[in-house]
Amino acid sequence: MTGEQDQQQEYYSTLDAHHVAPLWGVLHKMVPPRPNPSSQVQTWPYASIRPLLMQAGDLISAEEAERRVLMLVNNPTLGPPYTTDTIYAGLQLILPGETAPAHRHTAFALRFIVEGDSDGAFTAVQGKKVVMERGDVILTPSWTWHDHGSDSKGPMVWLDGLDLPVYRFLPINFAENHSDPRYPSELAEGELAKGLKFPWKDMQTQLDANASTTGHVKLDYRHADGSHLSKTISAQAERVNAGTSSSKVRETLSFVYHVYEGQGYTTIVTPEGEEKVVMWMRKDTFNVPAWSVVSHTCRSQSDSAYLFAITDRPMIEALGLYRKEEL
Ligand code: GTQ
């Protein structure tokens, strides 16, 4: 070692004790030339997750668990609550006759119904009992009391999407349990459920009406006043026409995708240039790290594919960080 290196080593070894560190060793990691999400592309095929959920159904009640959820975890780089860098997602199971007791929290939640009869499973949101059907999106806005229940005949499964990773950065989530398992509620349908429930049939009607010869339609879920579903996370739905691929796009957004209907694959090229091809079928879930190039392909020659995705668009736009590139 030269005398100069010795001096540097000695200097660095003194810094820890003063709680300082040299930026010059890590500048390009702190201020990278392009986005560098920590999450990796991962898939949660429903065929492998559903049996695990049903096992959980045998092992623990919804009441005991409070929320009987298998979190979708982005291992190995990130643990819970990360499904992708900014979004938490989990698959929640409610069995006939069960109640997931009422609570409220600062975190915002949206749910996409994956499986279940349309005859009696509900989420009660601040006094409004909203019945859930496959493909519906149900919101539980920040700090609203909510419990889930089911008087239906079979299991009910939905995908939870929450902004929990935000509270790692802003550690100011509050939560409270209600004194009773159920918060008093009355059935809310049609107009009364507006703003809390976004029925799949309405979304599919819009997607189908917009289906063009280009083969790909993407629509954001919006409130009646045009605003996103929440200030943090929101959702979109896409139709990929039979036998076609969507054009390659990258955005500064992270996604958790869920396949409502169809068979195909999504090609994802991460910002580091790694290409992953996710093969999917109905009810599968996968994530897309921010600034990845994405293209979906519907493999069927006769039936279109429909994809749902949770995104962090509201917060990214609000922070002025939204960018899009068409390739
Ligand atoms: O249903 O309230 O997946 O509070 C994680 C946290 C669901 C819920 C989750 C929650 C909920």
Side-chain angles (χ1 to χ4, degrees):
M1 246 196 256
T2 65
E4 197 179 330
Q5 280 175 328
D6 278 344
Q7 275 182 0
Q8 284 188 351
Q9 284 298 339
E10 200 182 311
Y11 169 73
Y12 292 140
S13 69
T14 61
L15 298 181
D16 262 7
H18 299 278
H19 312 291
V20 292
L23 172 63
W24 55 91
V26 293
L27 179 60
H28 296 288
K29 209 171 144 198
M30 296 280 168
V31 191
R34 56 166 192 269
N36 59 346
S38 300
S39 66
Q40 301 183 1
V41 176
Q42 279 183 14
T43 50
W44 294 273
Y46 200 56
S48 21
I49 308 297
R50 188 183 192 278
L52 298 173
L53 263 180
M54 296 307 148
Q55 269 180 284
D58 291 336
L59 291 170
I60 188 163
S61 71
E63 285 81 357
E64 270 180 289
E66 191 168 336
R67 294 294 181 268
R68 192 204 283 118
V69 176
L70 285 179
M71 302 187 288
L72 308 185
V73 182
N74 204 286
N75 283 330
T77 40
L78 298 164
Y82 299 98
T83 304
T84 194
D85 287 72
T86 53
I87 304 164
Y88 158 97
L91 285 165
Q92 179 158 179
L93 169 69
I94 291 263
L95 293 171
E98 287 190 323
T99 299
H103 70 188
R104 62 178 175 178
H105 37 69
T106 313
F108 166 84
L110 62 84
R111 310 159 203 290
F112 186 81
I113 312 309
V114 175
E115 180 181 340
D117 303 332
S118 57
D119 63 349
F122 61 87
T123 290
V125 189
Q126 201 71 35
K128 290 184 175 182
K129 190 171 171 180
V130 182
V131 176
M132 311 187 286
E133 277 186 62
R134 186 168 120 77
D136 290 350
V137 174
I138 313 282
L139 309 189
T140 51
S142 182
W143 209 241
T144 50
W145 290 110
H146 55 284
D147 51 87
H148 313 289
S150 172
D151 308 315
S152 92
K153 290 182 209 69
M156 184 87 190
V157 177
W158 62 82
L159 179 73
D160 282 321
L162 282 88
D163 54 8
L164 294 177
V166 169
Y167 295 96
R168 285 299 179 92
F169 183 60
L170 307 169
I172 47 172
N173 198 358
F174 295 83
E176 206 179 340
N177 288 319
H178 188 56
S179 48
D180 292 317
R182 292 215 171 143
Y183 186 85
S185 66
E186 280 183 38
L187 195 63
E189 289 185 291
E191 281 299 312
L192 286 173
K194 280 244 157 74
L196 294 176
K197 171 169 163 171
F198 297 78
W200 176 259
K201 61 173 169 16
D202 295 353
M203 179 46 90
Q204 185 170 336
T205 302
Q206 283 186 59
L207 288 170
D208 293 345
N210 283 281
S212 61
T213 46
T214 62
H216 180 232
V217 181
K218 184 173 88 177
L219 292 172
D220 278 338
Y221 284 83
R222 301 266 179 174
H223 285 291
D225 66 0
S227 62
H228 290 303
L229 298 186
S230 82
K231 289 193 159 66
T232 51
I233 60 171
S234 196
Q236 62 186 40
E238 295 171 59
R239 172 180 149 144
V240 189
N241 283 359
T244 68
S245 299
S246 63
S247 55
K248 292 177 183 168
V249 176
R250 65 173 155 194
E251 296 170 284
T252 49
L253 304 180
S254 301
F255 300 95
V256 176
Y257 268 95
H258 180 83
V259 182
Y260 176 72
E261 200 65 76
Q263 264 195 34
Y265 58 91
T266 297
T267 306
I268 302 164
V269 183
T270 65
E272 298 88 69
E274 200 184 339
E275 180 173 312
K276 291 262 176 71
V277 179
V278 176
M279 308 293 295
W280 44 254
M281 54 189 285
R282 79 201 289 258
K283 301 184 179 176
D284 289 349
T285 305
F286 60 95
N287 76 301
V288 175
W291 204 237
S292 299
V293 179
V294 179
S295 169
H296 309 294
T297 299
C298 174
R299 286 208 300 175
S300 166
Q301 296 300 319
S302 51
D303 299 310
S304 298
Y306 294 93
L307 304 174
F308 170 82
I310 308 164
T311 84
D312 54 2
R313 182 183 287 276
M315 61 183 158
I316 299 303
E317 284 184 358
L319 295 169
L321 300 174
Y322 180 73
R323 274 204 214 191
K324 179 178 179 179
E325 213 172 81
E326 316 228 12
L327 289 104

